[in-house]
Amino acid sequence: MGGTQSLALPQGKGPHPVGCADVMVGHTRQGLFLRLFYPCLPRAGAERPLWIPRYEYCGGLADFALLSRRWCAPLLSVAIGSCRVPVSWKGPFKPCSSGYPLIIFSHGLGAFRSLYSSVCSELASWGFVVAALEHRDHSASVTYFCPAEAGREEWIPYQRVPQGQKEFYFRNKQDSVDLTKVAVMGHSFGGVTAVLALVKEPGFSCAVALDAWMFPLENSLYPEVPKPVLFINTEKFQTPESVAKMKRLSSRNSQTKIITILGSVHQSQTDFAFLTGKLINRIFSARGTLDPYKGLDITSRAALAFLQRHLHLEEDFDQWDNLLEGIGDSVIPEAPFCRSNL
């Protein structure tokens, strides 16, 4: 592979072509900013959106990785700045008489709205509208809003835990998602945000938590999580303490499931897993031993089976129900160490 970089994001395997658009609501940092993935009508020669939306995000990624913005941001821009997502940019929405179920997707610390395009577009190809939020609470590597009077963007950087503050109390205040539709999903810090959303928003029916960082979840909230959660863990990230919190939730709700994908690392559930080339993989520790396309298949099919069950969908996603029990190639029930350590 050498030092060259390329992004080979897969097209969705479902029956629908996928469209994509950015949505910004409001002119303050309290407004919403998201990337919408949705079933669309096929369109010849459709434009494909850039994976890294603006150069400023290269600087944000450099800052988050604790690397020099001066050299790392231009390097990232050259290496991955021209990569595009295989979806139709602002493609015409495909009408649906019954309405598409909605998934709210919450990114992890230091990420932003486009870094989970692979899983979001895969779910959209199976008939979901997926709203990938970009948080403005300093948990994104960088983001922005457009003040009405200024005529230009105001940028919001990622914020580390201030010296002298405990990380639990700092992170616990971030990522309040106040949305009321159907299902919520997220990765890492966004995974625990999805769990918390079940407490705060009765409109959510269930949550899918990808390698959830359970640390910010207060112990007092466990009895209050009212709906089922699907925890899809990677092999190399979780700790016994984090898995103990997941097990606590599953002991209270028999529909809460915990599975682990073997051969995967924390970044395997982001688009970074699909980058080829040693440079970016070294910076972001993106590669496990499992083929990333296979990892995406397991993640998306388990999520679809779970969503069919708890959103009462009339699809054939139950063909993948075995994955919810950890039955299948490269997947196991619970966590790699939880039987022996917990």
Side-chain angles (χ1 to χ4, degrees), residues 103-145:
I103 299 169
I104 308 299
F105 193 99
S106 181
H107 63 70
L109 288 178
F112 42 89
R113 68 189 186 282
S114 63
L115 293 189
Y116 301 89
S117 295
S118 52
V119 68
C120 291
S121 58
E122 176 66 22
L123 293 170
S125 78
W126 290 99
F128 289 83
V129 171
V130 184
L133 301 177
E134 186 165 290
H135 297 301
R136 291 168 166 170
D137 58 1
H138 298 282
S139 64
S141 59
V142 71
T143 187
Y144 66 96
F145 65 99

Side-chain angles (χ1 to χ4, degrees), residues 7 23 31 35 45 89 118 131 140 156 177 202 204 228 258 264-265 273 324:
L7 180 71
V23 179
R35 176 157 286 189
W89 181 242
S118 52
I156 303 168
V177 178
F204 286 122
I258 307 169
S264 58
V265 298
L324 301 180

Side-chain angles (χ1 to χ4, degrees), residues 63-113:
D63 290 345
F64 180 73
L66 296 175
L67 297 171
S68 168
R69 178 185 281 247
R70 184 175 177 182
W71 66 264
C72 188
L75 187 63
L76 288 171
S77 180
V78 169
I80 59 177
S82 62
C83 296
R84 293 184 179 269
V85 182
V87 297
S88 176
W89 181 242
K90 298 182 179 177
F93 193 84
K94 185 177 182 179
C96 175
S97 59
S98 59
Y100 298 111
L102 177 66
I103 299 169
I104 308 299
F105 193 99
S106 181
H107 63 70
L109 288 178
F112 42 89
R113 68 189 186 282

Side-chain angles (χ1 to χ4, degrees), residues 6-330:
S6 64
L7 180 71
L9 288 184
Q11 288 192 319
K13 292 185 174 181
H16 304 283
V18 177
C20 180
D22 284 342
V23 179
M24 190 178 287
V25 180
H27 292 284
T28 70
R29 68 170 60 208
Q30 283 71 44
L32 281 177
F33 190 24
L34 56 91
R35 176 157 286 189
L36 204 64
F37 297 83
Y38 54 89
C40 79
L41 298 171
R43 187 173 60 168
E47 178 188 353
R48 293 183 168 192
L50 287 169
W51 181 54
I52 305 296
R54 302 263 302 255
Y55 176 80
E56 289 86 349
Y57 289 92
C58 293
L61 287 172
D63 290 345
F64 180 73
L66 296 175
L67 297 171
S68 168
R69 178 185 281 247
R70 184 175 177 182
W71 66 264
C72 188
L75 187 63
L76 288 171
S77 180
V78 169
I80 59 177
S82 62
C83 296
R84 293 184 179 269
V85 182
V87 297
S88 176
W89 181 242
K90 298 182 179 177
F93 193 84
K94 185 177 182 179
C96 175
S97 59
S98 59
Y100 298 111
L102 177 66
I103 299 169
I104 308 299
F105 193 99
S106 181
H107 63 70
L109 288 178
F112 42 89
R113 68 189 186 282
S114 63
L115 293 189
Y116 301 89
S117 295
S118 52
V119 68
C120 291
S121 58
E122 176 66 22
L123 293 170
S125 78
W126 290 99
F128 289 83
V129 171
V130 184
L133 301 177
E134 186 165 290
H135 297 301
R136 291 168 166 170
D137 58 1
H138 298 282
S139 64
S141 59
V142 71
T143 187
Y144 66 96
F145 65 99
C146 301
E149 68 284 354
R152 56 178 176 78
E153 303 94 355
E154 185 166 326
W155 288 83
I156 303 168
Y158 176 73
Q159 187 176 344
R160 298 187 184 280
V161 179
Q163 190 170 5
Q165 279 197 33
K166 291 189 180 295
E167 183 155 32
F168 176 89
Y169 296 105
F170 182 75
R171 294 296 179 209
N172 190 252
K173 293 184 292 186
Q174 292 181 321
D175 256 0
S176 295
V177 178
D178 187 20
L179 295 163
T180 58
K181 297 217 179 170
V182 192
V184 63
M185 185 173 183
H187 176 247
S188 193
F189 185 51
V192 78
T193 300
V195 175
L196 284 169
L198 295 181
V199 177
K200 297 183 178 183
E201 290 300 331
F204 286 122
S205 298
C206 59
V208 178
L210 306 181
D211 226 10
W213 184 48
M214 298 294 285
F215 180 62
L217 189 61
E218 291 185 74
N219 291 338
S220 62
L221 287 175
Y222 288 97
E224 297 182 33
V225 178
K227 306 285 177 59
V229 182
L230 171 61
F231 291 102
I232 306 178
N233 294 329
T234 66
E235 188 175 0
K236 301 296 185 183
F237 176 72
Q238 292 296 335
T239 64
E241 294 78 16
S242 185
V243 173
K245 292 189 174 188
M246 296 177 191
K247 293 280 285 180
R248 202 179 203 176
L249 289 179
S250 67
S251 70
R252 293 179 173 274
N253 188 326
S254 63
Q255 292 302 309
T256 288
K257 304 292 183 181
I258 307 169
I259 64 173
T260 295
I261 300 176
L262 300 177
S264 58
V265 298
H266 194 50
Q267 298 294 348
S268 296
Q269 293 174 328
T270 74
D271 293 342
F272 286 117
F274 294 95
L275 282 172
T276 62
K278 296 177 181 177
L279 173 67
I280 302 299
N281 287 322
R282 189 172 298 146
I283 292 174
F284 295 106
S285 304
R287 280 289 180 130
T289 57
L290 182 68
D291 175 76
Y293 297 91
K294 185 171 184 178
L296 175 62
D297 278 351
I298 294 170
T299 298
S300 57
R301 289 171 180 178
L304 288 168
F306 185 78
L307 292 169
Q308 168 150 328
R309 184 178 293 184
H310 299 294
L311 300 183
H312 310 294
L313 306 178
E314 295 182 7
E315 303 286 350
D316 60 355
F317 304 151
D318 53 354
Q319 65 182 295
W320 299 307
D321 274 354
N322 279 353
L323 291 172
L324 301 180
E325 309 304 326
I327 299 170
D329 186 28
S330 300

